[in-house]
Amino acid sequence: MHASRLIPNIVKWALVLTLLPASATAQDAEEQIQDALQQALTTGIPVASLENLVSEGRAKGIPMDRIADAVQARMDGLARAQQALAGVPDVQEADIEVGADALESGVSGVVLAEIANTAPGERRSVAIAALSYLVDSGIVPEEARDRVQEALARGPEALQNLPSQARGPGVGGPPAGLPGAVPNGVGAPEGVPAPGGNIPDGAGPPTGGPQPGPPSGIPGPGGT
C-alpha cells in the first residue's frame, strides 16, 4: 500500500481507538446507575431522588461516570439512614431522605435514631432536618440533639423556630427549605428541606419541575 494512503488509515483507526474507551466508560456508568436504581427498589430505599439526580446531571452535561459515582454515594447514604432508622416505627421515605442528609452533616446513627424515636411521626422529618441544620451551623451533634428534643417538647412552633434561633438575633429567618417541602411526592411534612446536596450550576435543571439535589460532590464538566 502506498504510504500516502496508509497515513489517513492510521489516523482513522487512531481516532476509533481513542473513542472506544469513552464509549465503554459511558456504558459501564449506565449499567452502574441501573444496578443502583434496581438495588434501591429491591431494598426499599427511596429511588425518586436518585432518578432525579441522573436527570439533573444529564441536563447539566456532567459525564456519566461522575453521575454514576454520585448516585452510588447518595444511595450508600440512604442505605445508612435506612439502617439507622430500622428500629423506628412507621419510617417514611422522607425520614430516610433527611436522615441521609443528617448523617452526611456529621450526625451519628445513634443520635439520628434518638431524634427519630423522640419525634412524633408527623414531625419526624422536620426534627431531623432541624438537627442537620444545627450541626451544619457548627453545633456538636449531641447538643443539637438536646436542642431539638427540647423544641419537640415545647411544640411544633418551637421546632420550626429552632433554626432561626441557632442563627442568632438579627440574622434573619430560618434557612431556605425550613419551612418547605420535599419535592417529587415524597410526602414529607411541611418544614423539611429538599434532600441531598446540589449539582454545581452550569445548566438549568431538566424540565418538569424542581429537582432535588444529588449527593454533594458532583463536579461540573471539566471540573475536578
Side-chain angles (χ1 to χ4, degrees), residues 6-18:
L6 180 60
I7 292 175
N9 286 336
I10 293 174
V11 172
K12 178 181 70 175
W13 285 109
L15 290 173
V16 170
L17 293 174
T18 300

Side-chain angles (χ1 to χ4, degrees), residues 126-153:
V126 182
I128 296 172
L131 175 69
S132 297
Y133 179 74
L134 294 178
V135 174
D136 283 335
S137 299
I139 299 172
V140 297
E142 290 74 19
E143 181 180 348
R145 173 202 59 201
D146 294 343
R147 292 193 187 189
V148 172
Q149 288 177 335
E150 291 171 1
L152 283 166

Side-chain angles (χ1 to χ4, degrees), residues 126 151 155-164 174 178-180 190-192:
V126 182
E157 185 175 351
L159 183 62
Q160 291 285 349
N161 292 334
L162 188 59
S164 60
L178 267 168
E190 184 179 47
V192 183

Side-chain angles (χ1 to χ4, degrees), residues 12-92:
K12 178 181 70 175
W13 285 109
L15 290 173
V16 170
L17 293 174
T18 300
L19 293 174
L20 282 177
S23 300
T25 299
Q27 183 177 357
D28 292 344
E30 289 280 4
E31 292 176 356
Q32 181 181 341
I33 290 170
Q34 292 306 314
D35 288 346
L37 295 177
Q38 184 58 47
Q39 182 180 348
L41 287 171
T42 302
T43 57
I45 292 174
V47 72
S49 65
L50 301 178
E51 294 173 334
N52 286 319
L53 170 57
V54 175
S55 298
E56 186 177 358
R58 283 174 172 161
K60 291 188 173 183
I62 296 172
M64 289 305 299
D65 59 332
R66 296 189 181 182
I67 296 176
D69 289 343
V71 168
Q72 186 63 53
R74 181 61 177 175
M75 198 188 74
D76 290 345
L78 291 168
R80 288 175 57 215
Q82 183 186 55
Q83 182 178 5
L85 298 173
V88 180
D90 300 322
V91 171
Q92 304 297 312

